[in-house]
Amino acid sequence: MKKREKAGDEDEQEDSDEDSDEGSDWDELESDEESESGCPLDDSVCPPCMYPELFENTLQLRARKLDLEELIVEERKSCDALRKECDALAKKEKIVQSSLKAAEGDLELFDREKQQKLNELDVVVPLRLHQIEFLTNGVLPSDLSDSLVLNTKTLLSLQDRIRQLLVEKSDQGELYRQARHRHYQLIHDRKDMENRIHELEERCEAMMMAKFGQLVDLEALQTLSGNRVVEELKNDSKIKEAQHTNELKHCKVKLTEAKQALMEVSRKHTERVCTLNCLLKEKKDLEAKLDTRQKKMGAQFRDQRCEEDERHRLQKIVASQAEEMETLRQEITMLSHKGGHVLPPTQSLPSPYHNDRPHPHLRSGGAPSSLPSSQQSLD
């Protein structure tokens, strides 16, 4: 019902919205016409710029809109009233349910009381002769007040139960016979054990008389022996405790000596570490000095190497000049044997020395030194 009412309300709202849109359009049209004409519009007269059929339809729709708006207002009022009534009925329903539960409880209590009262009443039950089995010496008694009326099914179940009880009774009788046999056997075993105990007691008394000359209470003897063992254990514990105390003292002395030795070793190790640090510093200084000296020696060695290279170069030049002189001497000798004239060389030999260097065969004063043997022979 609520869904239908909501759907109806939505449809009515849509219709009212459409009508309101149409009415607003019509009102706008009327306002425009009034503004154009400058005089109020009469609803009963069709405007000149509008078709009469359209004007009549508009009037009908306006009337329908007003009617629908009145119906919507009435329906809303009725809906609110129904909603309030529904809430009131829901509250009444809760009250009625609580009262119903109370009434059901009272009714159940009343039924119990009624059943109790009915059970106390005497009821006449019609029976036939073949249904009566309460007989005394094969004769039906005149007083049936002590008899009991039962249903046939209940009677059959009771008879079955009687048979079950008979079977259980026979089973229990068998168990009883077995238990009785076991009981007799245990009694016989008990008598045998009593005889055995009596024999052992006599033997024990004879042994005590032979050993101590009198009967001795074994429990007291066992107690004394137990105390002796306890005393021995106490003495042993004291001796062991003294031994452990001495060992603990020796261990403490050894621990003190070990700590002192450790301190001495740590001190020596610290001194050695300091000495090693000093030696490492000296080593670094010596390595730095050695590096500088090696660099200087390398420079000197490079200078000496340059001088040696220059000396070897000059020696090679001298050797080449000596070879050239030897070849020239041989040519001169050959030409002198043939009787020809010897022409002077067209080109002078290139000087093996640079201009900025002095001649190796010239002295510091500028006088030539002694020439080699090849040059003297040429001269």
Side-chain angles (χ1 to χ4, degrees):
M1 292 295 290
K2 290 182 180 179
K3 290 182 179 179
R4 291 179 181 176
E5 289 176 358
K6 288 181 180 179
D9 294 338
E10 291 177 356
D11 295 336
E12 291 175 357
Q13 288 178 1
E14 290 177 357
D15 295 336
S16 63
D17 293 336
E18 292 176 357
D19 296 337
S20 62
D21 293 336
E22 292 176 356
S24 62
D25 295 337
W26 176 249
D27 294 335
E28 289 176 359
L29 183 60
E30 287 179 350
S31 63
D32 293 337
E33 290 177 354
E34 288 178 358
S35 62
E36 289 177 358
S37 60
C39 59
L41 182 63
D42 190 5
D43 295 339
S44 61
V45 179
C46 179
C49 62
M50 189 175 182
Y51 294 104
E53 294 84 2
L54 183 60
F55 180 72
E56 291 179 359
N57 290 330
T58 303
L59 293 176
Q60 291 177 2
L61 291 172
R62 179 178 289 180
R64 184 182 176 187
K65 174 188 173 184
L66 295 173
D67 295 337
L68 290 174
E69 286 179 354
E70 291 177 357
L71 290 173
I72 288 169
V73 172
E74 292 178 358
E75 290 294 333
R76 285 179 180 174
K77 290 180 180 179
S78 62
C79 183
D80 293 335
L82 290 173
R83 189 179 294 108
K84 292 179 181 179
E85 186 178 359
C86 182
D87 295 336
L89 290 174
K91 293 179 181 179
K92 289 181 181 180
E93 183 182 3
K94 291 180 180 179
I95 296 169
V96 169
Q97 285 180 356
S98 60
S99 61
L100 178 62
K101 289 181 180 179
E104 287 178 352
D106 296 337
L107 181 61
E108 186 177 359
L109 182 61
F110 176 73
D111 290 337
R112 290 180 181 177
E113 292 178 355
K114 183 180 73 173
Q115 188 65 37
Q116 290 177 359
K117 297 294 183 181
L118 290 174
N119 291 333
E120 293 176 359
L121 294 175
D122 295 333
V123 180
V124 177
V125 180
L127 296 174
R128 296 183 181 181
L129 291 175
H130 69 277
Q131 294 178 346
I132 298 172
E133 296 183 359
F134 185 70
L135 301 176
T136 303
N137 297 323
V139 179
L140 183 65
S142 59
D143 187 9
L144 298 176
S145 60
D146 296 334
S147 61
L148 181 63
V149 179
L150 295 174
N151 193 2
T152 306
K153 292 182 179 179
T154 306
L155 182 61
L156 294 174
S157 63
L158 291 173
Q159 291 176 356
D160 293 335
R161 182 58 182 164
I162 290 169
R163 287 191 290 271
Q164 292 176 3
L165 291 173
L166 291 174
V167 174
E168 291 178 0
K169 183 179 178 181
S170 62
D171 295 337
Q172 292 295 327
E174 183 66 25
L175 292 174
Y176 174 74
R177 285 191 293 272
Q178 293 178 2
R180 190 173 181 180
H181 179 70
R182 179 64 178 168
H183 178 67
Y184 290 153
Q185 187 176 359
L186 291 173
I187 290 171
H188 182 69
D189 294 338
R190 182 175 64 82
K191 289 180 179 180
D192 293 338
M193 292 300 294
E194 287 177 354
N195 294 328
R196 178 66 176 168
I197 291 168
H198 184 67
E199 291 177 358
L200 291 174
E201 286 179 353
E202 290 179 353
R203 185 179 176 183
C204 182
E205 289 177 358
M207 291 176 69
M208 282 192 291
M209 291 297 294
K211 187 173 182 179
F212 301 107
Q214 61 180 357
L215 297 177
V216 180
D217 190 1
L218 295 176
E219 293 180 358
L221 183 62
Q222 187 175 3
T223 305
L224 292 174
S225 62
N227 292 331
R228 185 181 299 172
V229 172
V230 171
E231 292 295 332
E232 290 178 356
L233 291 174
K234 286 182 179 179
N235 293 327
D236 293 338
S237 65
K238 288 180 180 179
I239 294 168
K240 289 182 179 180
E241 187 176 358
Q243 291 177 357
H244 292 320
T245 304
N246 294 327
E247 290 178 359
L248 184 61
K249 289 180 180 179
H250 289 301
C251 290
K252 287 182 179 179
V253 172
K254 289 181 180 179
L255 181 62
T256 305
E257 293 176 355
K259 285 182 178 179
Q260 292 178 357
L262 180 62
M263 291 174 64
E264 186 67 22
V265 171
S266 299
R267 186 179 61 78
K268 291 181 180 180
H269 182 68
T270 305
E271 291 177 356
R272 289 178 181 177
V273 169
C274 294
T275 306
L276 180 62
N277 191 11
C278 295
L279 292 174
L280 289 173
K281 288 181 180 179
E282 292 178 359
K283 181 182 177 182
K284 287 183 180 179
D285 295 336
L286 292 174
E287 286 178 353
K289 291 179 181 179
L290 182 61
D291 291 337
T292 54
R293 288 185 180 181
Q294 284 180 355
K295 289 179 181 179
K296 291 180 180 179
M297 292 295 292
Q300 293 177 1
F301 181 74
R302 283 194 296 272
D303 295 338
Q304 291 178 1
R305 187 65 179 271
C306 292
E307 291 178 358
E308 289 179 358
D309 293 339
E310 185 68 21
R311 190 181 297 111
H312 287 303
R313 188 177 65 81
L314 293 174
Q315 288 177 359
K316 288 180 181 179
I317 292 170
V318 171
S320 63
Q321 288 179 356
E323 290 178 357
E324 290 178 358
M325 290 171 67
E326 185 67 27
T327 54
L328 290 172
R329 190 183 298 110
Q330 290 177 1
E331 289 178 0
I332 291 168
T333 304
M334 289 174 64
L335 292 173
S336 63
H337 286 300
K338 290 180 180 181
H341 298 281
V342 179
L343 295 175
T346 58
Q347 294 179 358
S348 62
L349 294 173
S351 177
Y353 305 101
H354 297 286
N355 295 326
D356 56 351
R357 290 186 180 182
H359 196 276
H361 300 290
L362 295 177
R363 295 179 181 176
S364 61
S369 62
S370 61
L371 295 173
S373 60
S374 60
Q375 291 182 0
Q376 290 178 1
S377 62
L378 287 174
D379 294 337

